[in-house]
Amino acid sequence: MEPIETGETLIDKVYERVVEAIADGALLPGMRIRQGELAARLGVSRQPVSHALHLLHRQGLLRESGRKGFEIAPVDPERVAQIYDVRAALDGLAARRAAARQDAAALAELDAIVAAAGAAAGASALLRLDLAFHRALYRASGNPVFETMTGPHFPALARAMAAVLETEDYRARAWREHAEILARVRAGDEAGAEAAARDHASIAGETTARRLAELARAA
């Protein structure tokens, strides 16, 4: 984890660094989180670290360990499947709204993300772009409630997604599906955009659940 630059929103940045470390496997289930060590590594005081860790605990990425301590929680495949089930409906509706709205700036942002994915190397970069695509789609809908409702669950999904993004075939497929969603949104095809986004989330949920089960059997 890289040190945090002075002036950044410290709690948010500590939170983001820990989520990234969990998603890319730098912090594995069962590993103990020591506030002092983490604060030193990130170059911040203990206070923002404490706030960020308590937020991650509420979201289920950390669990209590010993006196006032935390450790990385194991992945819960059932919980991940439940989140994807709801996201399929929400993403579909967001894409429908985006297709109807045709916000030029939002569409340009989505274009840039898809283009960046084509040039990106490695699962970690693609994971960040994947999450950015869906957040941009919510903004394109014009309804901030989409991101408000799904945002708290993205850290859990990021860790699960990291498992499937290890496979090159799935990475290519996921970004073909993103490009298809964007094409239908750009065309103003409300029904097609909704179906493409809903199917993408459903397939991602099924693929992730299958991959997590394979990893559990291999452990």
Side-chain angles (χ1 to χ4, degrees):
M1 288 182 282
E2 297 295 325
I4 293 171
E5 296 293 333
T6 303
E8 293 181 294
T9 307
L10 293 182
I11 296 173
D12 291 343
K13 292 302 179 181
V14 171
Y15 172 91
E16 289 171 6
R17 294 291 197 281
V18 177
V19 168
E20 289 175 1
I22 292 172
D24 66 19
L27 294 175
L28 297 170
M31 289 181 65
R32 185 82 183 273
I33 300 293
R34 293 177 172 82
Q35 289 189 23
E37 290 180 9
L38 184 57
R41 288 176 66 184
L42 297 177
V44 299
S45 68
R46 285 174 175 254
Q47 186 175 18
V49 170
S50 176
H51 284 295
L53 294 182
H54 278 87
L55 176 56
L56 290 160
H57 177 245
R58 289 197 297 273
Q59 293 180 344
L61 270 75
L62 302 181
R63 64 183 180 186
E64 293 182 3
S65 175
R67 188 177 180 183
K68 297 183 179 179
F70 294 109
E71 66 181 24
I72 308 301
V75 178
D76 183 349
E78 183 178 0
R79 179 64 171 166
V80 171
Q82 291 168 344
I83 295 171
Y84 269 114
D85 192 35
V86 173
R87 256 199 60 197
L90 290 176
D91 283 17
L93 182 56
R96 173 180 279 276
R97 295 286 185 264
R101 187 164 175 254
Q102 291 295 302
D103 182 288
L107 293 176
E109 182 183 11
L110 286 163
D111 281 335
I113 293 169
V114 171
S124 181
L126 286 171
L127 174 60
R128 289 192 292 272
L129 289 167
D130 192 301
L131 298 176
F133 177 89
H134 290 282
R135 289 188 172 111
L137 182 64
Y138 300 149
R139 288 193 290 275
S141 76
N143 186 342
V145 176
F146 283 115
E147 190 164 6
T148 301
M149 293 180 69
T150 58
H153 302 293
F154 269 54
L157 292 183
R159 178 164 54 160
M161 287 166 59
V164 295
L165 287 173
E166 291 175 355
T167 62
E168 188 173 346
D169 287 349
Y170 181 78
R171 291 200 298 267
R173 176 179 179 174
W175 282 98
R176 285 196 301 270
E177 291 172 1
H178 286 151
E180 176 64 16
I181 293 167
L182 178 54
R184 289 179 181 270
V185 168
R186 272 200 166 280
D189 179 2
E190 296 178 37
E194 180 173 15
R198 185 183 60 241
D199 291 348
H200 169 68
S202 295
I203 291 168
E206 292 167 2
T207 304
T208 302
R210 187 164 57 248
R211 178 60 177 160
L212 291 175
E214 291 171 357
L215 291 172
R217 286 195 297 269

